[in-house]
Amino acid sequence: MIYQPNERLGSRFVTLNATTIPWMYHSSASLLRDGRILVGGSNPNVGYVFQKVLFPTELQLEAFYPPYFDTKFSTLRPKIMSPAFHSSLMYSQKLVLQFVVTGTLAQNMLSMTMVVPSLSTHSAAPYDVYDQLDPDVSVGTRGDCYDRYCIHIEKMRQSVRIIVQCPNQMPSGMIKANDRKLCPPSRCRMKLSMESCAV
């Protein structure tokens, strides 16, 4: 959908063509340098197994051309001259953007927006101990509202399954940090010494 804030109420959202790629977990859409939108059904990485699996990941990409690619806007569509493609930027670095257009622009109507490409890293670099757990993937078969409800219920069941697995994999020994700035001392030590809170 596209939002047109200057249109009258009830006509501000316009439905565009739907993507033909199934959106899987970690699907993403990124705005490209030339204005196209790249739609990815998933975020595969070198660790994926693509064959003989129950739910293979989606490998297709699709480039979407929004309405501003209409030929009537061709003279107003900017072409970025610098920085060069694949340039690296640092935090707090001053950025000078140079672009050209073939049409005439009103300077007070110019604006720039920076977009960070979307990326999901859970599968490539799973945090905590997710790669050591064994939950089932919650998948629906109908695609309707009731199906989504069933998936959420199943996700709760899998969350309980994860909670049960975690204590079984905890290493033996103390589980409390020996840092009095983070974890208070035991109640008995606290009553014996004012200095028990010291590190």
Side-chain angles (χ1 to χ4, degrees):
M1 301 188 76
I2 191 170
Y3 178 62
Q4 300 173 321
N6 296 325
E7 295 293 330
R8 61 182 177 83
L9 290 176
S11 302
R12 294 182 178 178
F13 285 97
V14 178
T15 302
L16 305 178
N17 290 335
T19 179
T20 59
I21 295 177
W23 276 53
M24 312 290 282
Y25 187 54
H26 288 164
S27 302
S28 60
S30 297
L31 181 64
L32 300 181
R33 181 183 174 95
D34 62 1
R36 294 175 300 162
I37 298 174
L38 186 68
V39 180
S42 190
N43 66 326
N45 61 71
V46 294
Y48 269 138
V49 177
F50 297 108
Q51 297 179 346
K52 296 181 179 179
V53 291
L54 186 59
F55 301 105
T57 190
E58 176 57 63
L59 298 177
Q60 296 181 84
L61 296 174
E62 184 175 44
F64 179 71
Y65 290 80
Y68 49 73
F69 272 92
D70 194 300
T71 53
K72 65 182 179 182
F73 301 122
S74 59
T75 60
L76 301 176
R77 193 159 50 249
K79 179 180 180 182
I80 299 175
M81 306 304 293
S82 69
F85 189 59
H86 282 306
S87 296
S88 297
L89 299 175
M90 304 293 292
Y91 285 107
S92 302
Q93 176 183 339
K94 183 179 289 187
L95 171 67
V96 177
L97 178 69
Q98 294 181 327
F99 64 92
V100 295
V101 292
T102 57
T104 303
L105 297 176
Q107 290 189 4
N108 61 342
M109 297 294 290
L110 291 177
S111 63
M112 184 186 80
T113 301
M114 296 196 69
V115 179
V116 178
S118 57
L119 176 66
S120 297
T121 61
H122 306 320
S123 56
Y127 48 84
D128 294 333
V129 293
Y130 282 108
D131 58 334
Q132 303 173 36
L133 302 174
D134 187 31
D136 289 332
V137 178
S138 305
V139 179
T141 58
R142 294 178 295 274
D144 55 13
C145 290
Y146 180 71
D147 213 17
R148 290 197 294 272
Y149 164 78
C150 292
I151 289 175
H152 284 303
I153 296 297
E154 182 58 28
K155 282 183 177 180
M156 286 189 279
R157 293 193 180 102
Q158 294 305 317
S159 296
V160 173
R161 184 175 174 185
I162 289 174
I163 292 171
V164 170
Q165 291 180 47
C166 286
N168 295 334
Q169 298 192 30
M170 288 179 65
S172 59
M174 293 293 294
I175 61 172
K176 191 174 182 180
N178 191 28
D179 186 343
R180 298 297 172 253
K181 292 180 180 179
L182 300 176
C183 300
S186 63
R187 186 66 65 178
C188 62
R189 285 195 62 189
M190 200 180 298
K191 292 177 179 179
L192 293 174
S193 171
M194 289 292 292
E195 289 75 30
S196 62
C197 291
V199 178

